[in-house]
Amino acid sequence: MSSPGGSDPTRHAATARAASAADSRVVIVRPWTDAHGGGCCSGDTRDPVALDRRAGTPVSHHPAAHRVGECYQLLRHELPGTDVQIASPGNSAYLLPHVYRHLRPAVGRLRALWAAVQGTRAGAVLVDGRQVALLPDTEPHAVLAAVTAALRRPPTAG
Amino acid sequence: MPAAVVAAVVGVLYFLGYRYYSRYLADRVYGLDPAFVTPAHRFRDGIDFVPTNKHVVFGHHFTSVAGAAPIVGPAIAVFWGWGPALAWIVLGTIFAAGVHDFGSMVVSVRHNAKNIGTIASEVISKRARTLFLLIIFFLLTLVNAVFAVVIGNLFMANPGAVIPIFVEIPLAIAIGQYIYRTRSPALVPSLVGVLLLYLLIPVGQAFPLDITPLAEGLGFDQPRNLWVIIMFAYAFIASRLPVWLLLQPRDYINSHQLFIALGVIALGLLVGWNTIVAPMVNDVPAGSPSIFPFLFITIACGAISGFHSLVSSGTTAKQIDKETDTRHVGYLGAVGEGSLATGAVLATTAGVVATQADWEALYPDFSTASGGAVGNFVNGVAAFANNFGVPVDLAVIFAAVVVISFAATTMDTGVRLQRYVVQEISELVGWRAGARNLTLAGAIAVIIPLVMALLPGGGDAGYTFGVLWQLFGTTNQLTAGLALTVVAVWVFKRGRNPLAVAVPLVFLLAMTSWALIVNLRNFVAEGQWVLAPLDAVIFVLAMWLIVEAALALKGLSGRGADGTRGPGQDAPGTTTEAGEDVVTRRE
């Protein structure tokens, strides 16, 4: 397995773009501790005003975020044709319809709705709306194996 | 005129603005290139730089920019009549805020997703970074001061909101801990939090906490000032906690409240079919601030807000998948903020009272209008909620809780950010204690806005608030002016017509400077020896910005722009004439 860091960004950009024509099949929900600022004036404006990336400064990240980064890089490298998204657990405006839309044909409205609520779990790795791993507990290669297995199923299989 | 009809017309105008004007900006002004490899792809790390679906980014961006500020400004500005206020909101959103939010995002994407302050130092001059930090320092000072006063006023007017708001703090911490410890899905606990918060409203109503006797016993001339001090003490402590512990769960609760409030306004308008009772153009009393220039600094957020350039060029730019997505995220984000401001205008002109005479009693002069503006919005939203059966008393506390929650979250974030700015300025001037000691930096971040918020202001609290709000609007517009200057220079360097950016830039700088001069003259005449120097300093910053912008544009016209080079013709891997760091093409 080659290093994700050595990947060609243009290759992935093109494949990701092609994949995003359809809805994303893989979504990683950010860990709860990888938090941002509040809304309105001053909302999430850490980068423009904070000291540059020294350890312990506001723009440095919790270790859990780095695990997400490792998994993301690995998935993008090993599954170049698969669009992988990262969303905040608070972004329910995206997560709820995403999970519901994927699962409703296979499991029905009520179970899809319940699964959609479950989809807002911080650290969840979702494939077609189903949680297949939980970060940061799961090792990146185990996440890759789980995602690869889940992707082999048709998108709406029950 | 029925408010629902006005809302529908505004909605159509926003749609047209997005459909056609943002398309013009994308194609003719910014020259977006769908093949451009964005920083999210080039620096992809899965942490900050993540190519992200535009709908995901929009959710992040909109909740980062929306809040209490687009409510307060319009609620004051209807003093001049709903027509001018709404016209500035709609025209500002379409021709200024959209250009600004969208443009600063595009420029950031073309500069490795750097923030607007850093890009300013590269595109305009090295001095621009210092100018940027100083403007942000004053902006955050005034944000924290005005929101402390907003909260103080609302607590005084709605003592029933005190218990829900203060219980919300441990409630949010408990929810955050629950989500973190149990790995529970985040949605259910946060919705339970909203429910518990609203269940506390009748409790707050039954046990209102009016601190007037205590404040008077402590010798406060203005009882509200005791709340101001309590809120700053809270913000100082809260800003030292990890973001995920209190700020994130409370902001999550707020995001639900934002959609609930927008839903209440929309549903209330449709069910109640309220008519706008305020005059379209108000015949304001002699001695009031004039529409020109004060309307345009009273409504900043909601028409154009410099803060958005910080979000656009911060985390949002790092997540842009395709350059063309910036149109959806940046321009629509501005439209969302404008919609909230429109709701504020309708709540304070159609919802709050039933007749023009009653409305004129709420807005008899600028001082009263400023002091009561947020309360009027609260009562207006409560009236909309009452249209579909919610008892008025409970609805008033509900609306107050929504606004105070937004304002308190903004204060928490604002004090935290101000501490970073104090640290960075200390670093620049070589003051080690200020740069390294978080308690000291935090104390500075709290004490300066606290002094502002406690200003006696000619013996009239509403006057002070109105003036502070205008100074906040001025610095917010200066931030927008700085971002628009960067965008204009960048557009000009690319050989494209910068008029769409230059017109709002010149308009903003003219209104801002004009307002600062008028205010300075008034402050000196009235012996306001705290506000006058503050106004003078902000005026100097404005002049500095105008000189920097003029020098940057003059330098460009001397060299001449390359009008023949399109965005797809820059050599890969080079620094371009437009100052872009790396240009690599897809495919």
Side-chain angles (χ1 to χ4, degrees):
Chain A
M1 190 174 290
S2 57
S3 160
S7 61
D8 171 15
T10 54
R11 180 168 68 102
H12 291 305
T15 50
R17 198 150 57 95
S20 65
D23 195 8
S24 313
R25 294 187 64 188
V26 182
V27 176
I28 301 174
V29 184
R30 288 185 187 275
W32 187 248
T33 46
D34 186 25
H36 300 294
C40 193
C41 293
S42 351
D44 202 4
T45 57
R46 299 163 304 157
D47 283 3
V49 299
L51 294 164
D52 289 335
R53 304 183 170 280
R54 297 176 196 162
T57 61
V59 286
S60 63
H61 289 273
H62 189 275
H66 294 284
R67 171 55 61 85
V68 169
E70 288 170 40
C71 291
Y72 176 81
Q73 294 282 58
L74 188 64
L75 291 172
R76 291 296 302 270
H77 184 261
E78 297 302 321
L79 305 169
T82 305
D83 180 33
V84 183
Q85 296 291 325
I86 299 184
S88 153
N91 198 344
S92 34
Y94 172 76
L95 288 170
L96 291 178
H98 166 83
V99 175
Y100 182 81
R101 199 166 48 241
H102 272 288
L103 289 181
R104 190 184 56 80
V107 302
R109 285 191 177 86
L110 278 179
R111 287 180 63 189
L113 195 60
W114 178 243
V117 171
Q118 300 292 313
T120 61
R121 190 188 307 273
V125 180
L126 307 172
V127 177
D128 297 330
R130 294 175 196 281
Q131 183 185 314
V132 299
L134 195 59
L135 297 175
D137 309 341
T138 317
E139 291 292 324
H141 286 91
V143 171
L144 174 65
V147 169
T148 306
L151 284 173
R152 286 200 190 103
R153 290 187 300 192
T156 56
Chain B
M1 183 182 291
V5 173
V6 174
V9 171
V10 170
V12 169
L13 292 174
Y14 285 156
F15 171 76
L16 295 175
Y18 175 69
R19 182 80 176 77
Y20 296 106
Y21 194 59
S22 75
R23 168 63 64 194
Y24 166 77
L25 293 171
D27 293 345
R28 306 294 294 275
V29 181
Y30 302 141
L32 300 189
D33 177 4
F36 181 82
V37 179
T38 60
H41 285 282
R42 269 186 281 128
F43 307 120
R44 197 185 67 219
D45 60 6
I47 301 173
D48 292 314
F49 292 90
V50 185
T52 306
N53 182 301
K54 65 183 179 185
H55 302 295
V56 182
V57 188
F58 179 77
H60 157 83
H61 185 77
F62 180 58
T63 52
S64 293
V65 298
I71 292 170
V72 181
I76 297 173
V78 292
F79 170 69
W80 288 288
W82 67 267
L86 202 56
W88 169 229
I89 288 168
V90 173
L91 294 176
T93 296
I94 294 172
F95 295 108
V99 175
H100 168 271
D101 297 14
F102 180 13
S104 47
M105 198 179 294
V106 173
V107 173
S108 178
V109 165
R110 286 275 172 161
H111 287 80
N112 290 341
K114 289 175 187 165
N115 67 67
I116 207 77
T118 305
I119 300 170
S121 72
E122 295 173 1
V123 173
I124 300 177
S125 74
K126 297 286 181 199
R127 294 180 302 270
R129 172 70 182 166
T130 310
L131 173 62
F132 170 78
L133 276 176
L134 289 172
I135 291 175
I136 295 296
F137 177 85
F138 284 104
L139 183 54
L140 288 169
T141 296
L142 289 160
V143 163
N144 294 327
V146 295
F147 279 108
V149 177
V150 164
I151 294 169
N153 280 343
L154 283 176
F155 274 151
M156 293 306 296
N158 305 282
V162 174
I163 286 179
I165 287 296
F166 278 89
V167 173
E168 187 184 1
I169 297 167
L171 185 64
I173 291 176
I175 287 168
Q177 282 291 310
Y178 180 79
I179 293 169
Y180 176 59
R181 304 278 172 205
T182 65
R183 315 294 298 274
S184 151
L187 184 64
V188 175
S190 64
L191 285 178
V192 169
V194 175
L195 189 65
L196 288 174
L197 185 63
Y198 292 163
L199 286 175
L200 283 166
I201 287 174
V203 178
Q205 187 191 29
F207 303 100
L209 283 179
D210 183 358
I211 60 161
T212 305
L214 176 63
E216 287 174 352
L218 292 171
F220 283 89
D221 290 338
Q222 287 281 347
R224 176 196 70 188
N225 288 345
L226 181 55
W227 279 126
V228 169
I229 291 171
I230 291 170
M231 288 313 298
F232 272 109
Y234 154 76
F236 177 76
I237 296 166
S239 69
R240 295 297 301 274
L241 299 176
V243 172
W244 64 269
L245 187 65
L246 169 61
L247 184 56
Q248 172 156 274
R250 206 177 53 187
D251 195 42
Y252 196 19
I253 291 172
N254 284 354
S255 70
H256 300 318
Q257 294 203 78
L258 173 67
F259 291 112
I260 291 170
L262 285 172
V264 165
I265 291 172
L267 187 62
L269 277 175
L270 285 174
V271 173
W273 206 251
N274 298 60
T275 301
I276 295 178
V277 295
M280 180 181 273
V281 178
N282 193 19
D283 186 15
V284 298
S288 303
S290 56
I291 284 187
F292 284 95
F294 289 102
L295 170 68
F296 304 93
I297 57 166
T298 300
I299 302 179
C301 301
I304 177 169
S305 164
F307 253 119
H308 294 198
S309 70
L310 306 185
V311 182
S312 292
S313 67
T315 42
T316 300
K318 294 183 177 73
Q319 299 178 64
I320 295 295
D321 179 23
K322 287 182 288 182
E323 190 175 70
T324 44
D325 290 350
T326 52
R327 176 180 168 227
H328 178 93
V329 179
Y331 200 93
L332 270 190
V335 167
E337 181 102 327
S339 304
L340 195 54
T342 302
V345 167
L346 298 179
T348 50
T349 57
V352 65
V353 284
T355 67
Q356 182 167 339
D358 290 342
W359 185 88
E360 284 168 351
L362 294 175
Y363 286 86
D365 53 62
F366 187 71
S367 171
T368 309
S370 301
V374 185
N376 294 335
F377 171 79
V378 163
N379 292 329
V381 173
F384 290 150
N386 184 245
N387 286 343
F388 50 88
V390 180
V392 171
D393 291 351
L394 293 180
V396 166
I397 300 175
F398 152 75
V401 164
V402 171
V403 178
I404 296 171
S405 296
F406 284 160
T409 304
T410 301
M411 269 190 81
D412 181 342
T413 318
V415 168
R416 193 183 294 267
L417 287 175
Q418 185 70 306
R419 194 183 74 219
Y420 305 158
V421 173
V422 169
Q423 288 179 270
E424 185 151 357
I425 291 176
S426 302
E427 188 86 15
L428 279 177
V429 300
W431 184 34
R432 191 174 170 77
R436 301 284 174 231
N437 188 326
L438 297 186
T439 305
L440 179 62
I444 294 170
V446 160
I447 289 169
I448 298 174
L450 176 61
V451 170
M452 290 287 143
L454 296 179
L455 281 178
D460 189 326
Y463 168 81
T464 305
F465 177 69
V467 170
L468 283 179
W469 183 262
Q470 286 183 355
L471 287 173
F472 158 68
T474 307
T475 47
N476 203 351
Q477 306 293 44
L478 278 184
T479 314
L482 183 65
L484 284 172
T485 303
V486 171
V487 177
V489 169
W490 179 78
V491 168
F492 192 81
K493 278 182 173 175
R494 287 164 55 85
R496 293 179 179 274
N497 187 347
L499 210 59
V501 188
V503 169
L505 169 64
V506 170
F507 182 78
L508 273 190
L509 291 180
M511 290 301 125
T512 302
S513 308
W514 184 1
L516 284 165
I517 291 170
V518 173
N519 268 339
L520 184 60
R521 198 178 57 201
N522 292 340
F523 293 152
V524 171
E526 293 162 8
Q528 299 276 353
W529 298 118
V530 175
L531 292 173
L534 177 66
D535 188 281
V537 169
I538 297 172
F539 181 71
V540 169
L541 295 177
M543 292 302 105
W544 183 358
L545 173 59
I546 289 170
V547 169
E548 293 289 353
L551 287 175
L553 292 170
K554 184 168 178 286
L556 289 177
S557 61
R559 285 209 306 274
D562 178 3
T564 58
R565 193 183 57 232
Q569 295 169 293
D570 301 314
T574 62
T575 299
T576 68
E577 178 73 15
E580 296 155 11
D581 292 319
V582 182
V583 182
T584 312
R585 301 289 153 204
R586 287 176 172 178
E587 283 105 30

